[in-house]
Amino acid sequence: SRLQCPFIVQLLYAFQNHEHVYLVLTWASGGDLFSLMGRMNRLFSETEAQFYSAEITCALDHLHNHNIIFRDLKPENVLLGDDGHILLTDFGLAKDVRKELARSICGTPEFMAPEAWTGCNISVSPLRPGGLWFVLLEQIDAELNAVGLDRHVGVGVLVYLMMVGVTPFFDPEKRRYDRTRALREGAYRTISTVFGVKDPPSSDADDFVAALLRIDPVDRLGAPGGIKVATHSWLVAVDW
């Protein structure tokens, strides 16, 4: 009830009988982003990818400001209202991390940050009062190993998927996600390389995705003390 964001599904009412619990949620007549990709029968334009990624970023930032990590960003969990704007849904894996660590390894592998499925502990860091910066702890010389931000990696993967048609670390030979590639910096074809000379996207698009997919979460776009996702040059035209 404390989440009031136009890009997040709202719980409007709840009731129950002897057999079931009923939840009345925001109506999203446009289906989900994954279904839209299928209906369009084409790749998203750069402008369309910017539009959806900006709204997803707003939704995630709102969650982070309330100390909630979403943990399952993927196109199936991005609904579309009748006005065309996104509605983030399915909070089954979301977690309020104000009081306890989030130790579970969960989410959809293609959209997870590498450190998210290595078993690192996640807790709130006081680096930004009122916001959610979480600390990834590993027992390496008993010191802090890395700092990252909840699943903004997923935004980079989504942008790549919308513009290329597959996720960055998809192995075309094995026809599946290759987790080992996700642990190697730059182990994917850039968007510009995929398009070649025919209608290439801006260099900012490649830089945006690369900045979100960096292996070291300290250097990743959106990391504490670094550049915020919303201020990247690729989203400079967005009227926040």
Side-chain angles (χ1 to χ4, degrees):
S1 61
R2 73 178 190 268
L3 298 177
Q4 299 296 323
C5 175
F7 305 126
I8 294 176
V9 164
Q10 298 295 307
L11 176 62
L12 304 176
Y13 195 70
F15 58 94
Q16 67 183 63
N17 59 22
H18 294 295
E19 297 181 354
H20 303 288
V21 174
Y22 299 88
L23 304 177
V24 181
L25 306 173
T26 309
W27 171 242
S29 60
D32 59 63
L33 197 60
F34 182 80
S35 299
L36 177 63
M37 292 176 182
R39 294 198 304 269
M40 290 174 59
N41 197 31
R42 65 169 175 82
L43 298 174
F44 282 54
S45 69
E46 187 167 352
T47 301
E48 290 167 337
Q50 285 172 324
F51 173 78
Y52 290 120
S53 61
E55 293 194 342
I56 292 169
T57 297
C58 285
L60 289 177
D61 282 347
H62 186 76
L63 293 175
H64 298 161
N65 287 334
H66 288 80
N67 301 299
I68 294 172
I69 53 177
F70 186 58
R71 301 202 293 181
D72 199 16
L73 181 60
K74 58 184 178 181
E76 292 89 339
N77 288 342
V78 180
L79 301 182
L80 301 169
D82 55 8
D83 57 0
H85 293 286
I86 71 108
L87 290 163
L88 205 60
T89 191
D90 193 350
F91 285 75
L93 297 180
K95 190 177 185 68
D96 188 326
V97 293
R98 287 175 295 179
K99 296 182 179 180
E100 65 175 319
L101 298 174
R103 297 185 176 90
S104 304
I105 301 176
C106 58
T108 304
E110 291 92 333
F111 298 88
M112 293 168 61
E115 68 273 6
W117 37 256
T118 57
C120 299
N121 291 333
I122 303 174
S123 66
V124 175
S125 164
L127 294 177
R128 190 182 70 144
L132 176 68
W133 296 115
F134 64 85
V135 180
L136 304 166
L137 302 175
E138 282 188 343
Q139 197 62 35
I140 299 179
D141 297 328
E143 294 181 356
L144 179 66
N145 181 52
V147 181
L149 182 63
D150 169 50
R151 304 305 187 272
H152 270 134
V153 167
V155 177
V157 175
L158 267 178
V159 170
Y160 192 95
L161 175 63
M162 287 188 283
M163 297 183 67
V164 176
V166 295
T167 55
F169 305 109
F170 177 79
D171 188 330
E173 295 183 358
K174 299 178 181 178
R175 303 295 300 173
R176 63 176 174 82
Y177 167 72
D178 187 349
R179 193 170 74 171
T180 60
R181 289 191 180 191
L183 289 173
R184 300 197 303 273
E185 193 78 46
Y188 62 91
R189 294 178 66 195
T190 64
I191 300 174
S192 298
T193 302
V194 174
F195 276 78
V197 295
K198 182 181 179 181
D199 193 24
S202 68
S203 58
D204 286 335
D206 272 330
D207 185 72
F208 182 75
V209 171
L212 288 169
L213 297 184
R214 286 176 184 147
I215 302 302
D216 189 343
V218 175
D219 296 330
R220 195 175 296 150
L221 180 63
I227 300 174
K228 294 182 179 179
V229 175
T231 62
H232 189 276
S233 56
W234 191 60
L235 299 176
V236 69
V238 174
D239 183 0
W240 297 100

